[in-house]
Amino acid sequence: MKHRIIFALLMSFTLSLIMSAWVTYVNIGAHSDFVAIWIHAWLLAWPAAGIIAFISGPFIHKLAHRIAEKI
C-alpha cells in the first residue's frame, strides 16, 4: 500500500506538471503571466491526477501485463 501511494503521488506530480504546462502553453502561448497561470492549473490538476492514479493504477497495471503477454 505504501508503494502504491508513493507511486500515485510521483506519477501524478510528474504528469500533471508536464501536461498542465503543455496545455497552458497551447492555450495562451508565451504569455507574460505564463508561470502563474501554469502553476494555478497544475495546483488544480495534481489532486485530481493523484486520485485517478491511485484508483486506476492497479487496473492499468494488470491491463499492461495482459497486453504485454499478447505481444
Side-chain angles (χ1 to χ4, degrees):
M1 179 63 89
K2 189 187 317 184
H3 176 269
R4 192 169 154 203
I5 292 169
I6 292 169
F7 177 82
L9 286 172
L10 292 174
M11 182 60 77
S12 63
F13 174 86
T14 304
L15 286 174
S16 64
L17 188 71
I18 294 168
M19 291 301 297
S20 62
W22 174 248
V23 172
T24 300
Y25 179 77
V26 167
N27 284 326
I28 67 168
H31 192 274
S32 61
D33 290 333
F34 175 81
V35 173
I37 295 168
W38 166 34
I39 296 299
H40 176 74
W42 172 69
L43 288 173
L44 294 173
W46 189 16
I51 292 167
I52 293 165
F54 182 77
I55 292 170
S56 67
F59 170 76
I60 293 173
H61 186 74
K62 289 177 190 174
L63 180 61
H65 274 288
R66 287 187 200 140
I67 293 169
E69 289 173 356
K70 292 183 181 194
I71 306 179

